[in-house]
Amino acid sequence: MAIPPKLLSSSASIATTSSLGSNSADHGLAAKLWIKFRRELHFAMYTPFLVSLASGNLKADTFRHYIAQDAHFLKAFAHAYELAEECADDDDAKLAIADLRKAVLEELKMHNSFVLDWGIDPAKEVIATSATVKYTDFLLATASGKVEGVKGPGKLATPFERTKIAAYTIAAMTPCMRLYAFLGKELQTLVDLKDGSHPYKKWIENYSCGSFQASAFQTEDLLDKLSVSLTGEELDIIEKLYHQGMKHEAEFFYAQPLDQPTVVPFAKDHNHDGDRLVIFSDFDLTCTVVDSSAILAEIAIVTAPKSDQPQPENQIARMSSAELRNTWGLLSTQYTEEYEQCIESVLPPEKVEFNYEALCKALEQLSDFERRANTRVIESGVLKGLNLEDIKRAGERLILQDGCSNFFQKINGNDKLNSTVHVLSYCWCGDLIRSAFSSGGLGVVSVHANELTFQESISTGEIVKKVESPMDKVEAFHHILKNYKDDNKNFTVYIGDSVGDLLCLLQADVGIVIGSSSSLRTVGSRFGVSFVPLFPGVLQRQRECIEGSCSMGKSLSGTLYTVSSWSEIHALILGW
């Protein structure tokens, strides 16, 4: 059981969520688009090329190839700025674009020094790859006004119409500037550059330096200003071009050829015949935006009879909606208070070294608490009278975390992977979970959860108890693996967000924590569990890579990886 404090939220709040974040109104357009399309940022970050470069063990030939391809791109970038400057009708905009073009020309000079430093023959002509050509063609086509639904510059009658082309061009270029500025700063904080031994120190310093950061901000500011007078339809074009630019960046990084072992993506070196990738995931607040108990509570309250409404004698007796709301509130308050007390009681007085057995013993107390809480729910009668069809419809409309459905769809649709997906959940009603996944075409996901009992599609209020506690979850985890009868080697990933997932997270080869549960981190840390942000963890593993041996983790290492979104998980496991 996991009744959240905000259990009685309205059905409207259950059904909606914002992709830009609650404070998006405080941002300019460029910042909003950067937030909205962070999925592509993660795909670029977790490419084998960038991970190897950041870790310092990227092979020199690959970097030489990248430098040669990037030179093609920078020349196109400079030309696109030139075309945008011609289209801008505002003197300040023209000046800003001219400054940005000068910065790109300076960057080309830096590339020339790379060419000399890395022994590349400057006289040798390097043919652009298909990924490079796609990117440069996109930039130059946009700068030439070849945008779907837009007239070319030569056919534009007014200066304002020409200025729109400048705005569209800057929209296509801004994600590159922001991405490189972000990566430069990110790698600067994660990589030790002081001793000068990192082979790509100069590259990282170039994109983390103040002048490049200023150019990125200047580009974003210019996009904001050029977009002020655009219509809603024109802003949609801006967004589409920005998104295309982000995708081209990720594809450009991913297209760099590597002949070396890398930890990412997991699918790259997966042996379909000899290995099995087993993905385990929690459901509530790992996959979902709202806890399933809140949804079941909402269904019960909305469909319950009013206090003055007579109930048919042949139907299961139910509380009135007012009584249900009050009872749910009391159950929620009691659960929250006792949960916090239970967590406090299982903690050792001081932090200890990682000890899985001691953690298991502590979480047995939490398991007892969860079972008692479920018994109170059953005895209260709040789950009586729910219609199975109402539950299924709620599941079909349930909003999953951004990127969750897409990840599972890609896993299930990848014929090169020998993979299975299992959802382990405390949810009282497995039908709710199955409906949520089947509506997204994910009926092949195996669901392991509790089940409501029904008489002629109406719930009796009883629960068939299957997965109530951390101990039940880890027992189900081992049972699933034990039931694989063939000789394939299992590589396990567990994704979770709460204390109830802690044992499974540690038992998996790779345990991934999504979200920011304070109780999970408190309990885990006190028992010696290390929580490492995923990207730095990947870089560390890549540094340890040797020929023929490159693994992300192992069971019971005591280390869990933290992520901000499902796109990081997708990039880690499947790549682009």
Side-chain angles (χ1 to χ4, degrees):
M1 173 179 176
I3 303 178
K6 296 181 180 178
L7 174 147
L8 302 180
S9 56
S10 69
S11 55
S13 68
I14 288 175
T16 61
T17 186
S18 169
S19 61
L20 291 182
S22 58
N23 63 342
S24 61
D26 300 333
H27 297 296
L29 176 63
K32 289 180 182 179
L33 294 176
W34 172 248
I35 293 169
K36 185 169 185 177
F37 298 120
R38 287 182 79 83
R39 174 178 181 270
E40 280 68 30
L41 159 65
H42 291 140
F43 282 115
M45 285 175 66
Y46 287 91
T47 54
F49 168 76
L50 193 72
V51 166
S52 299
L53 183 151
S55 67
N57 60 13
L58 179 71
K59 287 188 175 180
D61 283 347
T62 302
F63 188 71
R64 292 187 186 103
H65 179 275
Y66 160 77
I67 288 297
Q69 295 302 313
D70 202 33
H72 285 291
F73 168 72
L74 286 172
K75 290 171 185 175
F77 217 69
H79 187 43
Y81 272 138
E82 185 179 2
L83 294 173
E85 185 182 351
E86 292 174 1
C87 288
D89 72 332
D90 178 84
D91 288 341
D92 289 339
K94 282 181 176 292
L95 183 60
I97 295 171
D99 286 343
L100 290 168
R101 183 169 179 268
K102 288 177 185 176
V104 174
L105 294 176
E106 287 299 315
E107 193 176 347
L108 269 170
K109 290 181 182 178
M110 180 207 72
H111 268 253
N112 291 336
S113 71
F114 274 134
V115 166
L116 298 175
D117 292 345
W118 288 86
I120 302 171
D121 183 357
K124 183 180 179 181
E125 184 176 352
V126 179
I127 298 173
T129 63
S130 59
T132 304
V133 170
K134 279 176 64 178
Y135 200 170
T136 56
D137 283 356
F138 160 71
L139 284 178
L140 295 177
T142 303
S144 301
K146 297 174 183 176
V147 179
E148 187 176 350
V150 178
K151 290 183 284 185
K155 300 177 182 178
L156 298 176
T158 67
F160 175 68
E161 287 181 318
R162 290 178 62 83
T163 298
K164 285 192 293 188
I165 298 299
Y168 294 154
T169 303
I170 299 303
M173 302 169 82
T174 299
C176 170
M177 297 296 292
R178 173 46 52 207
L179 176 65
Y180 271 82
F182 175 87
L183 292 175
K185 279 295 186 185
E186 184 77 1
L187 299 189
Q188 183 186 44
T189 62
L190 297 176
V191 175
D192 184 7
L193 302 176
K194 293 178 182 178
D195 65 0
S197 63
H198 196 291
Y200 305 110
K201 174 184 177 181
K202 188 175 178 180
W203 188 92
I204 295 170
E205 288 178 337
N206 177 70
Y207 293 113
S208 61
C209 71
S211 60
F212 190 86
Q213 298 295 316
S215 291
F217 281 118
Q218 188 178 1
T219 309
E220 291 175 320
D221 184 58
L222 182 60
L223 176 59
D224 289 345
K225 290 176 179 176
L226 290 174
S227 302
V228 166
S229 58
L230 299 183
T231 65
E233 184 176 343
E234 290 160 352
L235 289 173
D236 287 343
I237 295 174
I238 291 284
E239 180 173 316
K240 180 181 178 181
L241 291 169
Y242 190 104
H243 192 198
Q244 282 181 281
M246 283 291 285
K247 288 193 287 187
H248 279 303
E249 276 295 343
E251 289 172 357
F252 180 69
F253 279 145
Y254 215 87
Q256 303 309 312
L258 268 76
D259 181 23
Q260 64 184 92
T262 57
V263 294
V264 291
F266 291 173
K268 180 172 69 73
D269 296 319
H270 180 78
N271 179 3
H272 182 280
D273 296 325
D275 299 334
R276 180 187 296 105
L277 176 63
V278 189
I279 306 291
F280 294 91
S281 178
D282 174 48
F283 184 68
D284 288 323
L285 304 181
T286 295
C287 293
T288 67
V289 175
V290 177
D291 193 284
S292 63
S293 60
I295 297 169
L296 294 172
E298 195 72 26
I299 295 171
I301 292 166
V302 169
T303 61
K306 295 181 179 179
S307 54
D308 58 351
Q309 192 176 358
Q311 298 186 43
E313 292 183 5
N314 61 341
Q315 287 188 6
I316 295 173
R318 300 184 66 188
M319 285 185 273
S320 68
S321 57
E323 290 173 318
L324 270 173
R325 189 174 294 276
N326 181 60
T327 304
W328 275 113
L330 293 173
L331 286 169
S332 176
T333 299
Q334 185 178 6
Y335 177 87
T336 301
E337 291 175 353
E338 292 186 8
Y339 178 82
E340 291 173 354
Q341 293 169 6
C342 184
I343 291 294
E344 190 64 32
S345 69
V346 303
L347 296 176
E350 295 180 353
K351 183 177 179 179
V352 298
E353 289 187 10
F354 176 59
N355 187 321
Y356 182 78
E357 288 72 23
L359 179 60
C360 283
K361 189 173 181 179
L363 291 186
E364 285 176 1
Q365 297 178 51
L366 181 62
S367 297
D368 291 339
F369 159 77
E370 294 285 7
R371 294 186 185 100
R372 291 195 302 271
N374 276 342
T375 298
R376 279 200 301 268
V377 169
I378 295 170
E379 291 175 348
S380 72
V382 292
L383 294 175
K384 285 184 178 180
L386 276 68
N387 190 298
L388 178 58
E389 292 307 310
D390 289 339
I391 293 171
K392 289 181 177 180
R393 278 193 293 270
E396 291 167 0
R397 294 194 297 268
L398 185 61
I399 292 178
L400 301 184
Q401 297 274 5
D402 189 30
C404 177
S405 287
N406 183 257
F407 169 71
F408 286 127
Q409 286 167 354
K410 294 291 185 182
I411 283 280
N412 288 327
N414 193 325
D415 294 334
K416 296 180 181 179
L417 282 179
N418 178 13
S419 62
T420 57
V421 178
H422 298 269
V423 173
L424 307 184
S425 175
Y426 288 178
C427 178
W428 295 319
C429 185
D431 289 304
L432 180 73
I433 301 175
R434 283 184 282 272
S435 296
F437 282 118
S438 62
S439 66
L442 297 169
V444 295
V445 172
S446 297
V447 175
H448 311 264
N450 304 299
E451 304 288 350
L452 290 178
T453 61
F454 294 91
Q455 289 181 2
E456 298 180 352
S457 297
I458 302 299
S459 65
T460 65
E462 294 292 323
I463 300 173
V464 179
K465 301 173 182 178
K466 296 181 179 179
V467 185
E468 298 184 277
S469 68
M471 310 311 294
D472 290 343
K473 275 197 171 185
V474 78
E475 184 179 334
F477 176 93
H478 288 304
H479 182 72
I480 290 164
L481 295 177
K482 188 177 180 180
N483 280 345
Y484 289 120
K485 302 298 185 182
D486 54 43
D487 293 330
N488 284 9
K489 180 182 177 182
N490 295 319
F491 184 83
T492 56
V493 178
Y494 190 98
I495 305 155
D497 77 304
S498 70
V499 175
D501 299 307
L502 190 48
L503 298 181
C504 290
L505 286 164
L506 291 165
Q507 284 285 347
D509 292 309
V510 176
I512 300 175
V513 177
I514 190 167
S516 55
S517 168
S518 59
S519 57
L520 169 60
R521 291 170 188 265
T522 298
V523 173
S525 297
R526 198 70 71 89
F527 282 93
V529 176
S530 298
F531 293 89
V532 178
L534 181 61
F535 188 64
V538 166
L539 296 191
Q540 181 57 40
R541 290 294 184 181
Q542 182 64 34
R543 292 185 195 104
E544 297 166 357
C545 257
I546 57 175
E547 291 292 340
S549 177
C550 215
S551 177
M552 187 62 198
K554 61 179 182 178
S555 177
L556 297 178
S557 67
T559 297
L560 301 179
Y561 298 100
T562 62
V563 298
S564 60
S565 70
W566 276 89
S567 60
E568 282 194 81
I569 299 169
H570 190 146
L572 172 76
I573 297 174
L574 294 175
W576 180 249

